[in-house]
Amino acid sequence: MTTILKVTGYGVRNLVRSRWLLLYAFFFLASAEGLLRFSSDGTKALLSLSSVVLFVVPLVSVVFGTVYLYNAREFTEMLLAQPVRRSHLFAGLYLGLMLPLAIALGTGILIPFALRGLLRGADGGTLVILVFTGAALTAVFTALAFGIALRIEDRLRGVGAAIGIWLLFALFYDGLLLLLVALFADYPMEKPVLALVLANPVDLARVLLLLRFDLAALMGYTGAVFQQLFGGWTGSLLAATALTLWIAIPVACGQRRFRRKDF
Amino acid sequence: MIDVIGLDKHFGALHVLRALDLRIARGRVTAIVGPNGAGKTTLIKSLLGLVHPDAGSIRIKDTMVNGDVRYRAGIGYMPQIVRFPENLSGRDLIALLTHLRGAAVARDEELIDAFALGEHLSKPVRSLSGGTRQKINALLAFLFRPELLVLDEPTAGLDPLSSSLLKDRILAARGVGGTVILTSHVMSELEELADDVAFLVDGRVAYIGTLFDLKHMTNQSNLERAIAVMMRQGMAA
Protein backbone atom coordinates (compact mmCIF):
# COMPACT_ATOMS: atom_id res chain seq x y z
CA MET A 1 0.00 0.00 0.00
CA THR A 2 2.70 2.48 0.94
CA THR A 3 4.53 1.45 -2.22
CA ILE A 4 1.55 2.58 -4.27
CA LEU A 5 1.43 5.90 -2.44
CA LYS A 6 5.16 6.43 -2.82
CA VAL A 7 5.26 5.71 -6.55
CA THR A 8 2.14 7.84 -7.01
CA GLY A 9 3.78 10.63 -5.03
CA TYR A 10 6.86 10.71 -7.24
CA GLY A 11 4.75 10.54 -10.39
CA VAL A 12 2.77 13.54 -9.18
CA ARG A 13 5.92 15.38 -8.16
CA ASN A 14 7.48 14.76 -11.56
CA LEU A 15 4.43 15.89 -13.54
CA VAL A 16 3.47 18.86 -11.40
CA ARG A 17 6.84 20.37 -12.33
CA SER A 18 6.29 19.68 -16.00
CA ARG A 19 5.71 22.60 -18.35
CA TRP A 20 3.15 20.63 -20.33
CA LEU A 21 0.98 20.08 -17.30
CA LEU A 22 1.19 23.77 -16.42
CA LEU A 23 0.14 24.61 -19.95
CA TYR A 24 -2.78 22.20 -19.67
CA ALA A 25 -4.00 23.80 -16.44
CA PHE A 26 -3.56 27.26 -17.93
CA PHE A 27 -5.58 26.26 -20.98
CA PHE A 28 -8.61 25.45 -18.81
CA LEU A 29 -8.05 28.56 -16.73
CA ALA A 30 -8.03 30.72 -19.85
CA SER A 31 -11.05 28.92 -21.33
CA ALA A 32 -13.11 29.27 -18.17
CA GLU A 33 -12.09 32.89 -17.70
CA GLY A 34 -12.79 33.78 -21.33
CA LEU A 35 -16.14 32.04 -21.42
CA LEU A 36 -17.22 33.70 -18.17
CA ARG A 37 -16.33 37.12 -19.58
CA PHE A 38 -18.11 36.69 -22.86
CA SER A 39 -21.22 34.85 -21.65
CA SER A 40 -24.15 36.65 -20.14
CA ASP A 41 -24.41 34.19 -17.25
CA GLY A 42 -22.60 31.35 -15.54
CA THR A 43 -24.86 28.62 -16.91
CA LYS A 44 -24.05 29.47 -20.52
CA ALA A 45 -20.36 29.66 -19.76
CA LEU A 46 -20.60 26.23 -18.14
CA LEU A 47 -22.36 24.79 -21.15
CA SER A 48 -19.62 25.98 -23.50
CA LEU A 49 -16.93 24.88 -21.06
CA SER A 50 -18.49 21.41 -21.00
CA SER A 51 -17.99 21.10 -24.74
CA VAL A 52 -14.35 22.14 -24.36
CA VAL A 53 -13.81 19.57 -21.59
CA LEU A 54 -15.49 16.77 -23.56
CA PHE A 55 -13.28 17.51 -26.53
CA VAL A 56 -9.90 18.29 -24.98
CA VAL A 57 -9.69 16.04 -21.91
CA PRO A 58 -9.88 12.72 -23.81
CA LEU A 59 -7.37 13.97 -26.40
CA VAL A 60 -4.75 15.15 -23.94
CA SER A 61 -5.26 12.22 -21.53
CA VAL A 62 -4.78 9.54 -24.14
CA VAL A 63 -2.07 11.18 -26.27
CA PHE A 64 -0.03 12.79 -23.47
CA GLY A 65 -0.49 9.62 -21.42
CA THR A 66 0.81 7.38 -24.19
CA VAL A 67 3.86 9.55 -24.88
CA TYR A 68 4.56 9.85 -21.15
CA LEU A 69 4.46 6.09 -20.73
CA TYR A 70 6.80 5.46 -23.66
CA ASN A 71 9.24 7.94 -22.14
CA ALA A 72 8.93 6.26 -18.75
CA ARG A 73 9.63 2.81 -20.19
CA GLU A 74 13.26 2.47 -19.07
CA PHE A 75 12.55 3.94 -15.67
CA THR A 76 9.66 1.52 -15.26
CA GLU A 77 12.08 -1.33 -15.97
CA MET A 78 14.39 0.03 -13.34
CA LEU A 79 11.56 0.18 -10.80
CA LEU A 80 10.55 -3.37 -11.74
CA ALA A 81 14.05 -4.51 -10.78
CA GLN A 82 13.39 -3.29 -7.23
CA PRO A 83 11.66 -5.44 -4.61
CA VAL A 84 8.24 -4.18 -5.65
CA ARG A 85 5.14 -6.08 -6.69
CA ARG A 86 4.05 -5.39 -10.22
CA SER A 87 0.43 -4.77 -9.23
CA HIS A 88 1.54 -2.08 -6.77
CA LEU A 89 3.84 -0.50 -9.29
CA PHE A 90 1.08 -0.40 -11.88
CA ALA A 91 -1.33 1.27 -9.47
CA GLY A 92 1.32 3.82 -8.54
CA LEU A 93 2.20 4.60 -12.15
CA TYR A 94 -1.46 4.92 -13.12
CA LEU A 95 -2.40 7.22 -10.27
CA GLY A 96 0.82 9.18 -10.73
CA LEU A 97 -0.25 9.99 -14.29
CA MET A 98 -3.99 10.33 -13.83
CA LEU A 99 -4.09 12.47 -10.68
CA PRO A 100 -1.86 15.33 -11.94
CA LEU A 101 -3.93 15.60 -15.13
CA ALA A 102 -7.18 15.62 -13.15
CA ILE A 103 -5.80 18.15 -10.68
CA ALA A 104 -4.66 20.46 -13.49
CA LEU A 105 -8.12 20.27 -15.04
CA GLY A 106 -9.87 20.90 -11.73
CA THR A 107 -7.77 23.88 -10.63
CA GLY A 108 -7.85 25.43 -14.10
CA ILE A 109 -11.63 25.35 -14.21
CA LEU A 110 -12.40 26.16 -10.59
CA ILE A 111 -10.22 29.25 -10.10
CA PRO A 112 -12.14 31.65 -12.41
CA PHE A 113 -15.47 30.51 -10.96
CA ALA A 114 -14.20 30.72 -7.41
CA LEU A 115 -12.92 34.28 -7.98
CA ARG A 116 -16.43 35.30 -9.02
CA GLY A 117 -18.06 33.55 -6.09
CA LEU A 118 -19.92 31.16 -8.40
CA LEU A 119 -19.16 28.01 -6.45
CA ARG A 120 -22.58 27.94 -4.77
CA GLY A 121 -26.09 27.52 -6.06
CA ALA A 122 -27.23 25.60 -9.12
CA ASP A 123 -24.18 26.59 -11.19
CA GLY A 124 -21.93 25.43 -8.38
CA GLY A 125 -23.51 21.99 -8.49
CA THR A 126 -23.07 21.79 -12.24
CA LEU A 127 -19.47 22.95 -11.89
CA VAL A 128 -18.74 20.14 -9.44
CA ILE A 129 -20.29 17.64 -11.83
CA LEU A 130 -18.23 19.07 -14.69
CA VAL A 131 -15.00 18.68 -12.73
CA PHE A 132 -15.88 15.14 -11.67
CA THR A 133 -16.92 14.15 -15.18
CA GLY A 134 -13.66 15.62 -16.53
CA ALA A 135 -11.74 13.67 -13.90
CA ALA A 136 -13.60 10.48 -14.86
CA LEU A 137 -12.75 11.03 -18.54
CA THR A 138 -9.12 11.56 -17.52
CA ALA A 139 -9.23 8.25 -15.65
CA VAL A 140 -10.76 6.44 -18.64
CA PHE A 141 -8.38 7.80 -21.25
CA THR A 142 -5.19 7.48 -19.20
CA ALA A 143 -6.16 3.84 -18.59
CA LEU A 144 -6.55 3.44 -22.36
CA ALA A 145 -3.12 5.08 -22.77
CA PHE A 146 -1.67 2.33 -20.54
CA GLY A 147 -3.43 -0.25 -22.67
CA ILE A 148 -1.81 1.18 -25.79
CA ALA A 149 1.69 1.67 -24.37
CA LEU A 150 1.74 -1.85 -22.90
CA ARG A 151 0.50 -3.52 -26.06
CA ILE A 152 2.25 -1.64 -28.86
CA GLU A 153 6.03 -1.61 -28.70
CA ASP A 154 6.52 0.87 -31.53
CA ARG A 155 6.07 4.44 -30.28
CA LEU A 156 4.89 5.92 -33.53
CA ARG A 157 2.19 3.31 -33.97
CA GLY A 158 1.26 3.74 -30.32
CA VAL A 159 0.75 7.48 -30.64
CA GLY A 160 -1.19 6.84 -33.85
CA ALA A 161 -3.43 4.41 -31.99
CA ALA A 162 -3.95 6.98 -29.23
CA ILE A 163 -5.06 9.62 -31.72
CA GLY A 164 -7.23 7.02 -33.43
CA ILE A 165 -9.01 6.16 -30.19
CA TRP A 166 -9.67 9.82 -29.54
CA LEU A 167 -10.98 10.42 -33.06
CA LEU A 168 -13.26 7.43 -32.73
CA PHE A 169 -14.82 8.30 -29.38
CA ALA A 170 -14.82 12.08 -29.58
CA LEU A 171 -15.61 12.70 -33.25
CA PHE A 172 -16.66 9.78 -35.42
CA TYR A 173 -18.86 7.96 -32.97
CA ASP A 174 -21.68 10.47 -32.94
CA GLY A 175 -21.58 10.75 -36.71
CA LEU A 176 -21.81 6.99 -37.11
CA LEU A 177 -24.64 6.89 -34.63
CA LEU A 178 -26.53 9.54 -36.53
CA LEU A 179 -25.94 7.71 -39.78
CA LEU A 180 -27.28 4.54 -38.24
CA VAL A 181 -30.38 6.31 -37.00
CA ALA A 182 -30.96 7.87 -40.42
CA LEU A 183 -30.55 4.52 -42.16
CA PHE A 184 -33.01 2.78 -39.86
CA ALA A 185 -35.38 5.69 -39.49
CA ASP A 186 -38.42 3.42 -39.86
CA TYR A 187 -37.52 1.27 -36.89
CA PRO A 188 -37.67 2.05 -33.17
CA MET A 189 -34.03 2.90 -32.46
CA GLU A 190 -34.14 4.07 -28.83
CA LYS A 191 -32.87 0.85 -27.27
CA PRO A 192 -29.97 0.18 -29.70
CA VAL A 193 -28.91 3.81 -29.55
CA LEU A 194 -28.96 3.69 -25.78
CA ALA A 195 -26.71 0.63 -25.86
CA LEU A 196 -24.35 2.44 -28.22
CA VAL A 197 -24.24 5.48 -25.94
CA LEU A 198 -23.24 3.26 -23.03
CA ALA A 199 -20.36 1.98 -25.15
CA ASN A 200 -18.74 5.41 -25.54
CA PRO A 201 -17.25 7.12 -22.48
CA VAL A 202 -17.37 10.57 -24.10
CA ASP A 203 -21.08 10.18 -24.80
CA LEU A 204 -21.64 9.04 -21.24
CA ALA A 205 -19.87 12.10 -19.92
CA ARG A 206 -21.91 14.30 -22.23
CA VAL A 207 -25.13 12.73 -21.01
CA LEU A 208 -24.14 13.22 -17.38
CA LEU A 209 -23.51 16.90 -18.03
CA LEU A 210 -26.42 17.64 -20.29
CA LEU A 211 -28.99 16.08 -18.01
CA ARG A 212 -27.94 18.83 -15.62
CA PHE A 213 -28.58 21.57 -18.09
CA ASP A 214 -32.06 20.45 -19.15
CA LEU A 215 -30.79 21.08 -22.62
CA ALA A 216 -30.18 17.51 -23.62
CA ALA A 217 -32.35 17.77 -26.71
CA LEU A 218 -30.22 20.59 -28.03
CA MET A 219 -27.03 18.64 -27.87
CA GLY A 220 -27.15 15.77 -30.26
CA TYR A 221 -29.23 12.71 -30.72
CA THR A 222 -27.75 10.68 -27.88
CA GLY A 223 -28.62 13.27 -25.27
CA ALA A 224 -32.19 13.49 -26.51
CA VAL A 225 -32.70 9.73 -26.36
CA PHE A 226 -31.26 9.56 -22.93
CA GLN A 227 -33.46 12.31 -21.59
CA GLN A 228 -36.53 10.81 -23.19
CA LEU A 229 -35.92 7.42 -21.62
CA PHE A 230 -34.61 8.50 -18.27
CA GLY A 231 -35.30 11.91 -16.92
CA GLY A 232 -33.34 13.04 -13.89
CA TRP A 233 -31.69 10.69 -11.48
CA THR A 234 -32.20 7.35 -13.20
CA GLY A 235 -30.37 8.58 -16.27
CA SER A 236 -27.56 10.17 -14.30
CA LEU A 237 -27.12 7.09 -12.18
CA LEU A 238 -27.04 4.80 -15.18
CA ALA A 239 -24.54 7.01 -17.01
CA ALA A 240 -22.34 7.35 -13.91
CA THR A 241 -22.32 3.59 -13.37
CA ALA A 242 -21.43 2.92 -16.99
CA LEU A 243 -18.65 5.53 -16.82
CA THR A 244 -17.28 3.88 -13.68
CA LEU A 245 -17.17 0.57 -15.55
CA TRP A 246 -15.33 2.39 -18.33
CA ILE A 247 -12.63 3.21 -15.76
CA ALA A 248 -12.61 -0.13 -13.95
CA ILE A 249 -12.41 -2.42 -16.99
CA PRO A 250 -9.49 -0.75 -18.83
CA VAL A 251 -7.61 -0.39 -15.53
CA ALA A 252 -8.12 -4.08 -14.76
CA CYS A 253 -7.03 -5.07 -18.28
CA GLY A 254 -3.95 -2.81 -18.04
CA GLN A 255 -3.09 -4.27 -14.65
CA ARG A 256 -3.33 -7.82 -16.01
CA ARG A 257 -1.21 -6.93 -19.02
CA PHE A 258 1.37 -5.19 -16.85
CA ARG A 259 1.70 -8.24 -14.59
CA ARG A 260 2.33 -10.60 -17.48
CA LYS A 261 4.38 -8.42 -19.76
CA ASP A 262 8.01 -9.08 -20.64
CA PHE A 263 9.92 -5.83 -20.33
CA MET B 1 24.81 -17.89 -5.95
CA ILE B 2 22.75 -18.25 -9.10
CA ASP B 3 21.44 -21.46 -10.62
CA VAL B 4 19.72 -21.29 -13.96
CA ILE B 5 18.31 -24.57 -15.24
CA GLY B 6 16.74 -25.21 -18.62
CA LEU B 7 15.71 -21.60 -19.22
CA ASP B 8 13.62 -21.25 -22.34
CA LYS B 9 12.08 -18.16 -23.87
CA HIS B 10 10.36 -17.30 -27.14
CA PHE B 11 9.51 -13.82 -28.33
CA GLY B 12 6.94 -14.63 -30.96
CA ALA B 13 8.69 -16.80 -33.53
CA LEU B 14 12.10 -15.92 -32.14
CA HIS B 15 13.63 -18.58 -29.90
CA VAL B 16 15.84 -16.40 -27.70
CA LEU B 17 16.86 -18.74 -24.89
CA ARG B 18 17.16 -22.47 -25.62
CA ALA B 19 17.19 -24.57 -22.46
CA LEU B 20 19.97 -22.44 -21.06
CA ASP B 21 21.87 -23.75 -18.02
CA LEU B 22 24.15 -21.48 -16.06
CA ARG B 23 25.69 -21.52 -12.62
CA ILE B 24 27.28 -18.38 -11.28
CA ALA B 25 29.53 -18.61 -8.28
CA ARG B 26 29.34 -16.35 -5.29
CA GLY B 27 32.02 -13.73 -4.79
CA ARG B 28 33.12 -13.64 -8.41
CA VAL B 29 32.78 -11.32 -11.35
CA THR B 30 31.18 -13.10 -14.28
CA ALA B 31 31.22 -11.54 -17.73
CA ILE B 32 28.39 -12.50 -20.06
CA VAL B 33 29.56 -12.23 -23.65
CA GLY B 34 28.27 -13.33 -26.99
CA PRO B 35 27.28 -12.11 -30.43
CA ASN B 36 24.33 -9.75 -30.85
CA GLY B 37 21.05 -11.53 -30.37
CA ALA B 38 22.61 -14.36 -28.36
CA GLY B 39 20.22 -13.71 -25.48
CA LYS B 40 22.39 -11.76 -23.05
CA THR B 41 19.81 -9.10 -22.29
CA THR B 42 16.97 -11.62 -22.05
CA LEU B 43 19.03 -13.68 -19.61
CA ILE B 44 19.76 -10.66 -17.44
CA LYS B 45 16.14 -9.54 -17.54
CA SER B 46 15.03 -13.04 -16.55
CA LEU B 47 17.29 -12.90 -13.50
CA LEU B 48 15.63 -9.64 -12.50
CA GLY B 49 12.12 -10.93 -13.12
CA LEU B 50 11.52 -8.45 -15.96
CA VAL B 51 11.03 -11.28 -18.44
CA HIS B 52 8.91 -14.32 -17.65
CA PRO B 53 10.59 -17.44 -19.06
CA ASP B 54 8.48 -20.05 -20.86
CA ALA B 55 10.20 -22.89 -19.06
CA GLY B 56 13.07 -23.55 -16.71
CA SER B 57 13.97 -22.24 -13.30
CA ILE B 58 16.19 -19.63 -11.74
CA ARG B 59 17.37 -19.78 -8.17
CA ILE B 60 19.14 -16.78 -6.69
CA LYS B 61 20.68 -17.55 -3.31
CA ASP B 62 17.87 -19.57 -1.75
CA THR B 63 14.94 -18.03 -3.55
CA MET B 64 13.28 -19.28 -6.69
CA VAL B 65 12.53 -16.44 -9.09
CA ASN B 66 8.82 -16.91 -9.67
CA GLY B 67 6.80 -14.08 -8.29
CA ASP B 68 8.04 -13.37 -4.79
CA VAL B 69 9.78 -10.04 -5.22
CA ARG B 70 11.80 -9.82 -2.01
CA TYR B 71 14.90 -11.39 -3.49
CA ARG B 72 15.40 -8.24 -5.52
CA ALA B 73 16.26 -6.35 -2.34
CA GLY B 74 19.67 -8.00 -2.64
CA ILE B 75 20.23 -6.95 -6.24
CA GLY B 76 21.62 -3.73 -7.62
CA TYR B 77 20.75 -3.29 -11.29
CA MET B 78 22.38 -0.84 -13.62
CA PRO B 79 20.54 -0.84 -16.94
CA GLN B 80 22.30 0.07 -20.14
CA ILE B 81 20.22 3.16 -20.77
CA VAL B 82 17.95 4.75 -18.27
CA ARG B 83 15.79 7.79 -18.79
CA PHE B 84 14.89 9.10 -15.40
CA PRO B 85 11.75 11.18 -14.95
CA GLU B 86 12.82 14.59 -16.24
CA ASN B 87 11.63 16.75 -13.39
CA LEU B 88 12.84 14.66 -10.49
CA SER B 89 16.25 15.23 -8.92
CA GLY B 90 18.84 12.62 -8.04
CA ARG B 91 17.83 13.03 -4.42
CA ASP B 92 14.20 12.30 -5.29
CA LEU B 93 15.31 9.12 -7.04
CA ILE B 94 17.46 8.05 -4.09
CA ALA B 95 14.57 8.71 -1.71
CA LEU B 96 12.16 6.73 -3.90
CA LEU B 97 14.46 3.72 -4.19
CA THR B 98 15.32 3.87 -0.50
CA HIS B 99 11.65 3.66 0.26
CA LEU B 100 11.00 0.83 -2.18
CA ARG B 101 13.87 -1.16 -0.73
CA GLY B 102 12.96 -0.50 2.88
CA ALA B 103 14.26 2.52 4.75
CA ALA B 104 16.41 0.45 7.09
CA VAL B 105 18.97 -0.42 4.43
CA ALA B 106 22.40 1.05 5.03
CA ARG B 107 23.41 3.27 2.15
CA ASP B 108 26.85 3.60 0.70
CA GLU B 109 27.15 7.32 0.06
CA GLU B 110 30.87 7.35 -0.63
CA LEU B 111 30.18 7.05 -4.32
CA ILE B 112 28.35 10.39 -4.27
CA ASP B 113 31.60 12.09 -3.28
CA ALA B 114 33.75 9.91 -5.49
CA PHE B 115 31.66 10.83 -8.52
CA ALA B 116 31.49 14.47 -7.34
CA LEU B 117 27.73 14.23 -7.64
CA GLY B 118 26.88 16.30 -4.55
CA GLU B 119 25.43 19.47 -6.07
CA HIS B 120 24.07 17.71 -9.15
CA LEU B 121 21.77 15.58 -7.01
CA SER B 122 19.51 18.52 -6.21
CA LYS B 123 19.03 19.55 -9.84
CA PRO B 124 16.25 18.13 -11.98
CA VAL B 125 17.50 15.28 -14.15
CA ARG B 126 16.59 17.13 -17.36
CA SER B 127 19.33 19.71 -16.72
CA LEU B 128 22.06 17.08 -16.27
CA SER B 129 24.49 15.84 -18.91
CA GLY B 130 24.34 12.28 -20.22
CA GLY B 131 27.47 11.35 -18.29
CA THR B 132 26.09 12.70 -15.03
CA ARG B 133 22.88 10.75 -15.55
CA GLN B 134 24.93 7.62 -16.09
CA LYS B 135 26.77 8.32 -12.84
CA ILE B 136 23.43 8.52 -11.04
CA ASN B 137 22.48 5.26 -12.71
CA ALA B 138 25.65 3.67 -11.32
CA LEU B 139 25.13 5.25 -7.93
CA LEU B 140 21.63 3.78 -7.65
CA ALA B 141 22.96 0.29 -8.39
CA PHE B 142 25.71 0.46 -5.77
CA LEU B 143 23.95 2.59 -3.18
CA PHE B 144 22.32 -0.17 -1.16
CA ARG B 145 25.39 -2.44 -0.93
CA PRO B 146 23.68 -5.29 -2.78
CA GLU B 147 25.05 -8.84 -2.64
CA LEU B 148 24.49 -9.20 -6.35
CA LEU B 149 25.27 -6.51 -8.90
CA VAL B 150 23.87 -6.79 -12.40
CA LEU B 151 25.61 -4.28 -14.64
CA ASP B 152 24.66 -3.91 -18.30
CA GLU B 153 27.36 -1.98 -20.16
CA PRO B 154 28.18 -0.02 -17.01
CA THR B 155 30.96 2.20 -18.34
CA ALA B 156 29.19 3.31 -21.52
CA GLY B 157 29.03 7.09 -21.51
CA LEU B 158 31.30 7.57 -18.51
CA ASP B 159 34.50 9.61 -18.68
CA PRO B 160 37.79 7.77 -17.97
CA LEU B 161 37.94 8.96 -14.38
CA SER B 162 34.40 7.85 -13.50
CA SER B 163 34.87 4.68 -15.48
CA SER B 164 37.95 3.70 -13.50
CA LEU B 165 36.23 4.65 -10.25
CA LEU B 166 33.40 2.35 -11.20
CA LYS B 167 35.78 -0.47 -11.99
CA ASP B 168 37.40 -0.01 -8.57
CA ARG B 169 33.95 -0.26 -7.07
CA ILE B 170 33.19 -3.48 -8.90
CA LEU B 171 36.40 -5.05 -7.64
CA ALA B 172 35.77 -3.70 -4.14
CA ALA B 173 32.29 -5.24 -4.15
CA ARG B 174 33.83 -8.57 -5.10
CA GLY B 175 36.40 -8.10 -2.34
CA VAL B 176 33.67 -8.13 0.30
CA GLY B 177 32.04 -11.25 -1.11
CA GLY B 178 29.70 -9.63 -3.61
CA THR B 179 28.75 -11.32 -6.86
CA VAL B 180 28.86 -9.31 -10.07
CA ILE B 181 27.34 -10.04 -13.46
CA LEU B 182 28.66 -7.85 -16.20
CA THR B 183 28.16 -7.27 -19.89
CA SER B 184 30.21 -4.99 -22.06
CA HIS B 185 31.27 -4.55 -25.63
CA VAL B 186 34.68 -3.48 -24.47
CA MET B 187 36.58 -6.75 -24.12
CA SER B 188 39.63 -5.18 -22.52
CA GLU B 189 37.38 -3.93 -19.76
CA LEU B 190 35.95 -7.39 -19.14
CA GLU B 191 39.45 -8.77 -19.18
CA GLU B 192 40.38 -6.34 -16.44
CA LEU B 193 37.40 -7.19 -14.25
CA ALA B 194 36.10 -10.67 -14.92
CA ASP B 195 37.06 -13.88 -13.13
CA ASP B 196 34.70 -16.03 -15.16
CA VAL B 197 33.32 -15.77 -18.66
CA ALA B 198 29.98 -17.12 -19.84
CA PHE B 199 29.87 -17.22 -23.62
CA LEU B 200 26.38 -17.28 -25.09
CA VAL B 201 25.53 -18.38 -28.61
CA ASP B 202 21.99 -18.78 -29.92
CA GLY B 203 20.39 -18.82 -26.50
CA ARG B 204 22.74 -21.41 -24.99
CA VAL B 205 25.85 -21.21 -22.89
CA ALA B 206 28.58 -22.34 -25.26
CA TYR B 207 31.32 -21.94 -22.71
CA ILE B 208 31.55 -21.15 -19.03
CA GLY B 209 34.77 -21.13 -17.10
CA THR B 210 37.54 -18.93 -15.89
CA LEU B 211 39.01 -16.26 -18.06
CA PHE B 212 42.37 -17.96 -17.77
CA ASP B 213 41.04 -21.30 -18.99
CA LEU B 214 39.29 -19.66 -21.90
CA LYS B 215 42.48 -18.00 -23.10
CA HIS B 216 44.42 -21.19 -22.56
CA MET B 217 41.88 -23.32 -24.37
CA THR B 218 41.75 -21.07 -27.40
CA ASN B 219 45.47 -20.44 -27.32
CA GLN B 220 45.02 -16.68 -27.37
CA SER B 221 46.68 -13.98 -25.36
CA ASN B 222 43.66 -11.81 -24.71
CA LEU B 223 39.92 -12.11 -24.27
CA GLU B 224 38.96 -10.34 -27.45
CA ARG B 225 40.88 -12.82 -29.59
CA ALA B 226 39.74 -15.76 -27.51
CA ILE B 227 36.10 -14.73 -28.01
CA ALA B 228 36.74 -14.21 -31.71
CA VAL B 229 38.04 -17.77 -31.95
CA MET B 230 35.02 -19.03 -30.04
CA MET B 231 32.69 -17.14 -32.35
CA ARG B 232 34.36 -18.51 -35.43
CA GLN B 233 34.07 -22.03 -34.04
CA GLY B 234 30.47 -21.32 -33.06
CA MET B 235 29.67 -20.29 -36.62
CA ALA B 236 31.38 -23.37 -38.02
CA ALA B 237 29.56 -25.77 -35.70
Side-chain angles (χ1 to χ4, degrees):
Chain A
M1 196 60 203
T2 54
T3 301
I4 301 179
L5 290 179
K6 217 54 189 184
V7 176
T8 306
Y10 281 92
V12 172
R13 189 185 283 204
N14 178 38
L15 274 178
V16 161
R17 296 177 192 161
S18 141
R19 259 165 265 170
W20 293 107
L21 197 82
L22 205 68
L23 195 73
Y24 185 59
F26 183 77
F27 169 80
F28 285 111
L29 187 90
S31 303
E33 178 65 31
L35 287 167
L36 276 170
R37 278 190 193 198
F38 295 116
S39 304
S40 45
D41 62 86
T43 313
K44 277 187 188 143
L46 269 170
L47 190 61
S48 310
L49 198 58
S50 301
S51 305
V52 175
V53 168
L54 290 173
F55 199 72
V56 173
V57 168
L59 174 68
V60 173
S61 300
V62 74
V63 175
F64 179 84
T66 307
V67 173
Y68 173 85
L69 288 168
Y70 280 124
N71 287 338
R73 170 74 188 244
E74 286 101 357
F75 188 62
T76 307
E77 282 180 24
M78 196 178 166
L79 292 180
L80 281 167
Q82 310 302 321
V84 177
R85 283 170 60 182
R86 284 198 176 192
S87 52
H88 291 176
L89 192 55
F90 176 83
L93 290 172
Y94 174 67
L95 292 173
L97 170 61
M98 187 270 269
L99 288 177
L101 286 171
I103 292 167
L105 166 78
T107 42
I109 289 180
L110 287 176
I111 288 171
F113 283 88
L115 289 178
R116 288 177 172 74
L118 289 174
L119 292 183
R120 289 169 190 215
D123 282 349
T126 313
L127 191 66
V128 170
I129 290 180
L130 176 61
V131 170
F132 271 99
T133 314
L137 279 179
T138 309
V140 173
F141 282 87
T142 45
L144 293 174
F146 268 89
I148 294 168
L150 289 173
R151 242 175 213 88
I152 303 176
E153 294 287 327
D154 183 66
R155 281 164 166 261
L156 214 57
R157 281 185 51 221
V159 174
I163 294 171
I165 281 189
W166 173 74
L167 282 175
L168 174 69
F169 284 138
L171 286 179
F172 295 155
Y173 202 91
D174 248 21
L176 292 175
L177 207 67
L178 216 59
L179 191 71
L180 207 69
V181 171
L183 283 176
F184 296 95
D186 300 337
Y187 302 90
M189 285 300 288
E190 284 82 0
K191 292 256 162 66
V193 166
L194 189 70
L196 287 169
V197 169
L198 291 177
N200 179 355
V202 181
D203 272 346
L204 285 170
R206 181 178 296 135
V207 162
L208 263 178
L209 286 166
L210 295 179
L211 288 175
R212 277 293 296 191
F213 288 114
D214 263 351
L215 284 171
L218 286 180
M219 295 287 285
Y221 188 82
T222 52
V225 170
F226 227 85
Q227 194 173 40
Q228 194 189 339
L229 288 181
F230 314 96
W233 282 109
T234 334
S236 297
L237 209 65
L238 184 67
T241 312
L243 201 55
T244 312
L245 283 178
W246 256 108
I247 300 170
I249 294 170
V251 167
C253 290
Q255 167 93 264
R256 215 173 102 102
R257 183 86 195 166
F258 191 77
R259 280 215 313 270
R260 296 181 176 185
K261 188 176 166 63
D262 291 320
F263 281 87
Chain B
M1 180 74 183
I2 301 177
D3 265 308
V4 179
I5 300 164
L7 203 64
D8 220 81
K9 180 69 191 174
H10 290 81
F11 285 122
L14 215 61
H15 202 169
V16 190
L17 299 179
R18 299 168 191 254
L20 181 143
D21 296 318
L22 179 66
R23 166 169 278 189
I24 287 174
R26 191 182 141 77
R28 295 177 75 86
V29 178
T30 304
I32 297 182
V33 293
N36 298 329
K40 289 170 290 186
T41 305
T42 309
L43 173 62
I44 284 179
K45 287 187 169 181
S46 305
L47 296 179
L48 295 164
L50 292 176
V51 165
H52 305 294
D54 300 335
S57 68
I58 302 171
R59 195 172 52 78
I60 295 184
K61 261 182 97 187
D62 302 316
T63 320
M64 299 301 288
V65 178
N66 60 2
D68 188 348
V69 299
R70 274 169 297 180
Y71 79 96
R72 290 190 213 129
I75 303 180
Y77 172 47
M78 184 174 171
Q80 193 171 341
I81 337 158
V82 64
R83 295 176 55 174
F84 297 116
E86 297 251 294
N87 304 301
L88 294 184
S89 68
R91 279 197 202 290
D92 290 332
L93 295 168
I94 291 173
L96 175 60
L97 288 207
T98 303
H99 180 87
L100 296 181
R101 286 172 162 262
V105 188
R107 295 193 309 215
D108 175 10
E109 307 212 329
E110 264 174 43
L111 206 55
I112 298 177
D113 299 328
F115 276 161
L117 273 173
E119 50 169 331
H120 294 299
L121 287 183
S122 1
K123 296 178 191 161
V125 170
R126 93 180 101 80
S127 66
L128 301 177
S129 73
T132 311
R133 291 179 203 199
Q134 189 67 356
K135 284 187 204 169
I136 293 179
N137 187 11
L139 173 69
L140 293 176
F142 283 83
L143 191 62
F144 303 95
R145 305 177 197 272
E147 294 171 86
L148 172 63
L149 281 160
V150 179
L151 312 172
D152 198 355
E153 301 273 347
T155 57
L158 289 181
D159 58 52
L161 175 63
S162 312
S163 172
S164 54
L165 273 166
L166 189 68
K167 287 178 191 166
D168 292 345
R169 274 315 171 112
I170 293 171
L171 295 175
R174 182 188 62 179
V176 296
T179 308
V180 183
I181 295 176
L182 192 64
T183 75
S184 175
H185 282 101
V186 188
M187 291 297 141
S188 59
E189 182 178 300
L190 292 179
E191 187 148 24
E192 194 184 335
L193 295 170
D195 304 306
D196 297 327
V197 177
F199 180 62
L200 263 61
V201 182
D202 284 336
R204 289 193 194 90
V205 177
Y207 172 85
I208 171 126
T210 64
L211 181 64
F212 180 82
D213 287 346
L214 176 67
K215 286 195 277 195
H216 189 73
M217 191 181 83
T218 51
N219 231 340
Q220 298 296 326
S221 57
N222 67 41
L223 178 63
E224 182 159 17
R225 292 198 176 274
I227 293 293
V229 169
M230 292 287 286
M231 281 174 79
R232 238 173 269 135
Q233 286 171 352
M235 305 293 172

